[in-house]
Amino acid sequence: MAADGPLTGFRVLDLATILAGPLCCQILGDYGADVVKIEHPRRGDAMRGHGEQKDGHPLWWKEISRNKRTVGLDISVAEGREVLLALAADADVLVESFRPGTLERWGLGPEVLLDVNPDLVIVRISGFGQAGPYAGRAGFGTLAEAMSGFAHLTGEADGPPTLPAFGLADSICGIAASSAAVMALLARQRGTARGQVVDLSLLEPILTAVGPGPTVYDQLGVEGRRHGNRSHNNAPRNTYETADGAWVAVSTSAQSIAERVMTLVGRPDVVAEPWFATGRGRVEHGDELDAAVAGWIAARPLDEVLAAFADTGAAIAPVYSASGILADPQVRALEMVTRVPDADLGPLAMHNVMWRMSETPGAIRFTGRDLGADTDAVLAELGYATDRVAALKEQGVVA
């Protein structure tokens, strides 16, 4: 994979933490941007303490901070502010996720940053946005998952609202933020804008991902409800256990797939029923359809089930844990998970770059680094003399 990506030549300052902003900057770095990660010189980024560790090395950090040079810098003090403004003067994008008003309190609000660099794209990620009655509240992905309707729609019909076991809202926001940053760069390149501020909350991207619930309620007064693993749009759609204790997921979003599934499991008779012709009609007969699919799958081992569905052209997938992901032939063929050399842990498996581009594919150039690993080099690029850097370290401004 070529080292150059479509963002080669752009510089990004990553001032963000847990998780949306760092993921945004990871994506930008994967596709060539020179990302400089700014961390507190003594505490480091809180992401370093998230997830599992091996021999004291945080594994999530190795991925989320790959392709990022790390600088320990206290931007809450005057000397640190001076360094950050020098960095911002030569940057293309700055991503931050402080509570609204924090950068302004430190004298680093957008008007100051844009004064030193009118072409700077400032991506501000917060729980609820930079304005409005909730702007000053602490905001985390869990709250967005609750307020977006996701938790309300997730879980068994007679069970409680259910939250995801991973950073869903943050991840969706991080991907959206990378798109927003590139849009702003494109507008700058086309001359329709210079620098600008992108105001993105954790709540807005997941609101869109959950679907048109507000529109449906506005027009029909209908609230969504929990269906477990079923869908209110089509049936059969569920997870099913095989004879050897594995689990599979079946989807019949397309009419032709639904027909193939029911024929395969020995119920071709239902295909001719008038109600079978629409997804909503099949939902009304979900118990009958589910029972047929579940019974057929429960009588057969996983390999036989997968082979039969593949031969029929029906849609099925095994329910994987991490070990299954690593062993899957499609994942391996497309290198969705790759191995990257790491100075601490040797060859390290991690998610590859998120999409394939034929001419500017991007690459994982290096894994997440130690706190302050690049401080000296980055400050030297700004013209800071060695003795000046040493003085800033002595004062605790940099690390």
Side-chain angles (χ1 to χ4, degrees):
M1 186 178 290
D4 284 346
L7 297 178
T8 297
F10 289 92
R11 173 168 287 188
V12 176
L13 302 182
D14 179 1
L15 277 65
T17 189
I18 311 173
L19 159 70
L23 177 57
C24 166
C25 295
Q26 176 202 310
I27 295 169
L28 299 178
D30 284 351
Y31 291 95
D34 172 22
V35 181
V36 177
K37 175 68 183 177
I38 306 298
E39 303 179 69
H40 192 279
R42 290 172 294 282
R43 296 192 299 269
D45 192 306
M47 279 296 302
R48 291 183 181 272
H50 273 57
E52 303 293 336
Q53 297 192 359
K54 180 180 180 182
D55 300 333
H57 301 290
L59 298 178
W60 198 357
W61 179 263
K62 293 290 187 181
E63 177 169 330
I64 198 71
S65 288
R66 69 194 191 194
N67 295 331
K68 300 178 185 181
R69 299 194 289 166
T70 65
V71 172
L73 178 64
D74 186 351
I75 63 174
S76 68
V77 299
E79 295 84 353
R81 175 181 180 274
E82 174 188 305
V83 174
L84 183 69
L85 289 175
L87 285 166
D90 192 38
D92 297 285
V93 179
L94 182 149
V95 180
E96 65 96 359
S97 61
F98 296 105
R99 194 177 299 196
T102 301
L103 280 185
E104 286 82 352
R105 189 169 67 251
W106 292 338
L108 292 168
E111 69 285 349
V112 176
L113 293 167
L114 290 170
D115 183 58
V116 301
N117 183 356
D119 293 322
L120 184 65
V121 172
I122 304 169
V123 180
R124 312 195 76 176
I125 299 173
S126 60
F128 304 103
Q130 298 295 315
Y134 298 169
R137 293 185 180 182
F140 297 100
T142 297
L143 310 187
E145 288 146 10
M147 292 178 63
S148 66
F150 174 87
H152 173 74
L153 294 173
T154 305
E156 296 299 325
D158 57 353
T162 302
L163 295 167
F166 58 96
L168 177 62
D170 275 275
S171 298
I172 297 172
C173 184
I175 298 167
S178 70
S179 177
V182 173
M183 286 184 189
L185 290 174
L186 180 60
R188 193 183 75 179
Q189 183 178 17
R190 294 177 63 189
T192 54
R194 294 191 68 180
Q196 61 179 299
V197 178
V198 177
D199 177 4
L200 179 61
S201 74
L202 292 175
L203 181 56
E204 289 160 291
I206 193 172
L207 272 174
T208 298
V210 170
T215 304
V216 173
Y217 180 75
D218 174 69
Q219 295 297 305
L220 302 176
V222 174
E223 295 268 30
R225 56 189 177 87
R226 292 184 286 284
H227 301 274
N229 288 320
R230 290 187 178 183
S231 168
H232 67 279
N233 293 316
N234 63 81
R237 188 262 202 181
N238 215 324
T239 57
Y240 307 93
E241 189 173 14
T242 65
D244 51 352
W247 287 87
V248 295
V250 172
S251 175
T252 57
S253 296
Q255 180 68 22
S256 61
I257 299 296
E259 294 171 3
R260 293 171 191 170
V261 168
M262 297 315 299
T263 300
L264 173 64
V265 303
R267 289 299 307 275
D269 55 297
V270 298
V271 175
E273 295 288 343
W275 52 262
F276 195 86
T278 66
R280 296 307 294 267
R282 297 197 304 275
V283 167
E284 294 174 2
H285 293 79
D287 289 344
E288 179 184 358
L289 300 178
D290 247 358
V293 176
W296 188 90
I297 289 175
R300 292 163 175 80
L302 175 64
D303 289 347
E304 182 179 336
V305 170
L306 295 178
F309 268 72
D311 289 344
T312 306
I316 193 170
V319 176
Y320 280 152
S321 61
S323 59
I325 295 169
L326 289 172
D328 183 83
Q330 182 69 17
V331 172
R332 294 168 71 93
L334 271 63
E335 295 187 82
M336 297 179 192
V337 177
T338 189
R339 289 195 175 273
V340 183
D342 180 75
D344 300 311
L345 301 173
L348 188 62
M350 63 175 61
H351 300 108
N352 210 335
V353 298
M354 202 172 292
W355 50 83
R356 288 165 291 283
M357 300 179 70
S358 63
E359 304 304 319
T360 54
I364 304 170
R365 300 181 296 281
F366 51 86
T367 58
R369 298 153 76 85
D370 293 338
L371 173 60
D374 303 285
T375 298
D376 289 358
V378 171
L379 267 60
E381 292 169 7
L382 296 176
Y384 279 71
T386 302
D387 57 348
R388 175 61 174 149
V389 175
L392 290 173
K393 288 183 177 180
E394 182 68 24
Q395 298 168 36
V397 176
V398 303

